[in-house]
Amino acid sequence: MCNWPNVTLFRLNMALLLLFGSLLLLSRAAQGSNTSIPLVIWHGMGDNCCNPMSMGGIKKMVEAELPGIYVLSLMIGKNIAEDTESGFFRDVNDQVAFACDIIAKDPKLKAGYNAMGFSQGAQFLRAVAQRCPNPPMKTLISVGGQHQGVYGLPRCPGESSHICDWIRKALNSGAYTDAVQKHLVQAQYWHDPLNDDLYKQHSLFLADINQERVVNETYKKNLMTLEKFVMVKFLKDTVVDPVISEWFGFFKTGQAKETETLQQSALYTEDRLGLAQMDKAGKLVFLGTDGDHLQFTQEWFNAKLIPFLR
Ligand SMILES: *[C@@H]1O[C@H](CO)[C@@H](O)[C@H](O)[C@H]1NC(C)=O
Ligand SMILES: *[C@@H]1O[C@H](CO)[C@@H](O)[C@H](O)[C@H]1NC(C)=O
């Protein structure tokens, strides 16, 4: 039965090969040679864009898994020293605007990008998503971010403990005074559950992006365009207080012991930010990992986070 001449089979094979070859070339040409969506990363407190032990290492890890990907690690300021300083002493709203500007001007990001924020860099990138829809952020990965802020600063990362002692004093003496709000980054996501009214009225950054004063429909609409919002919580975190803030939960108002989940909060039940709708659409991903603040292995990173960047 199978007596097709060999030469016909050979021709057929060649034709198929050529066809697939040209399809491949065509799709490559359409996408440029990079098939991965670009990634923007924002470092945490006491860190900077380019430290080979931190963000530089993350960039390398991502590039190793997704060859050809464009990774932009945000530098807030003119140089690395200024970038590190911005993590402590610069108006966060101004930093977010600065980041939006870098992102909007980067031609490699114009078709959209994914974002990955570390610690406070995560809530700052969420503000970018809410305020700056062009180019569009597709997926936001928050690695130990504090979406409901912090009430306490039990430990500072790295070698910045003397700065932290100073910050603690400033926060205790008046986190919600305008001068402290304007200049101290940690005050701008300081969330005092015992002084809820003060927080709502005077927090220049966090209360604004969390819709505490008004519901800004633009924020809601923009956040809801995310394809996925992934939140990583470090189960043994000794830096963030309360740790549930990494999953968008917080202390119940009026005390600082009992916490509530995002789903129990007014932000969610009133759906002031679109998070309830996103949750129902399967866009919220809650990941937990068994380590202290920002402590994870490359295997965990590759297995749990890289899939969201493919
Ligand atoms: C692809 O990625 C490389 C490495 O990040 C970059 O230099 C190049 O400009 C990118 N090409 C396109 C078309 O985006
Ligand atoms: C809502 O957010 C947009 C985008 O940041 C801003 O331009 C606008 O002024 C905000 N509106 C209110 C009422 O805060």
Side-chain angles (χ1 to χ4, degrees):
M1 301 292 281
C2 254
N3 53 0
W4 275 24
N6 274 343
V7 64
T8 315
L9 251 182
F10 176 76
R11 282 212 182 124
L12 192 67
N13 280 339
M14 284 310 285
L16 281 174
L17 220 86
L18 279 171
L19 184 68
F20 284 125
S22 16
L23 280 176
L24 206 73
L25 280 176
L26 272 173
S27 72
R28 284 248 170 114
Q31 296 172 340
S33 56
N34 297 336
T35 49
S36 295
I37 296 166
L39 176 67
V40 173
I41 57 186
W42 196 330
H43 62 80
M45 166 174 88
D47 199 4
N48 63 60
C49 59
C50 309
N51 182 348
M53 299 300 285
S54 64
M55 294 304 108
I58 296 288
K59 187 171 188 293
K60 282 222 172 72
M61 262 155 65
V62 172
E63 286 165 350
E65 289 301 302
L66 305 169
I69 189 174
Y70 174 59
V71 181
L72 170 70
S73 183
L74 291 168
M75 182 196 276
I76 308 299
K78 290 189 291 293
N79 51 49
I80 290 179
E82 215 174 87
D83 183 31
T84 308
E85 210 178 290
S86 297
F88 293 108
F89 305 114
R90 184 169 168 181
D91 182 338
V92 176
N93 290 322
D94 173 52
Q95 297 194 44
V96 169
F98 189 89
C100 285
D101 191 53
I102 295 176
I103 291 168
K105 284 185 178 145
D106 190 329
K108 289 182 185 144
L109 302 178
K110 68 176 188 293
Y113 64 97
N114 292 324
M116 188 184 284
F118 293 83
S119 201
Q120 67 186 19
Q123 58 262 34
F124 301 168
L125 275 171
R126 177 164 60 84
V128 170
Q130 292 176 207
R131 291 178 184 165
C132 308
N134 296 309
M137 187 187 291
K138 292 168 180 287
T139 284
L140 171 60
I141 303 180
S142 160
V143 185
Q146 303 101 44
H147 295 282
Q148 277 293 4
V150 295
Y151 184 53
L153 205 64
R155 235 162 44 72
C156 256
E159 290 152 23
S160 30
S161 59
H162 56 291
I163 304 185
C164 274
D165 292 339
W166 186 90
I167 291 175
R168 238 175 251 118
K169 276 188 202 133
L171 289 171
N172 288 330
S173 75
Y176 297 121
T177 58
D178 273 0
V180 175
Q181 280 289 314
K182 270 278 174 207
H183 300 291
L184 184 57
V185 166
Q186 288 67 36
Q188 297 169 61
Y189 57 86
W190 187 253
H191 188 166
D192 183 346
L194 306 177
N195 288 292
D196 199 50
D197 288 345
L198 270 185
Y199 160 68
K200 283 184 174 154
Q201 284 165 35
H202 299 286
S203 161
L204 294 181
F205 173 70
L206 192 68
D208 177 73
I209 61 160
N210 284 359
Q211 311 272 53
E212 297 282 10
R213 289 183 282 267
V214 292
V215 172
N216 185 328
E217 290 297 335
T218 309
Y219 284 177
K220 194 169 169 178
K221 185 182 96 214
N222 289 344
L223 191 68
M224 284 172 59
T225 63
L226 285 178
E227 288 165 17
K228 283 267 188 305
F229 176 17
V230 181
M231 286 173 263
V232 177
K233 180 171 104 170
F234 291 89
L235 303 176
K236 299 207 175 104
D237 202 314
T238 61
V239 174
V240 171
D241 191 16
V243 183
I244 200 170
S245 186
E246 297 179 3
W247 276 354
F248 230 128
F250 202 63
F251 291 118
K252 291 180 181 166
T253 305
Q255 49 87 59
K257 217 172 150 178
E258 263 187 80
T259 58
E260 64 184 13
T261 61
L262 166 66
Q263 286 79 3
Q264 292 165 332
S265 70
L267 179 70
Y268 187 97
T269 55
E270 295 168 12
D271 205 14
R272 298 170 71 86
L273 193 50
L275 291 163
Q277 286 179 69
M278 291 174 76
D279 200 14
K280 293 197 177 87
K283 289 182 168 190
L284 301 186
V285 180
F286 300 89
L287 295 180
T289 180
D290 196 34
D292 200 346
H293 197 54
L294 304 187
Q295 301 301 307
F296 54 83
T297 63
Q298 184 163 355
E299 289 70 42
W300 178 86
F301 184 88
N302 288 347
K304 301 293 182 182
L305 301 188
I306 290 285
F308 293 106
L309 304 178
R310 288 196 191 281

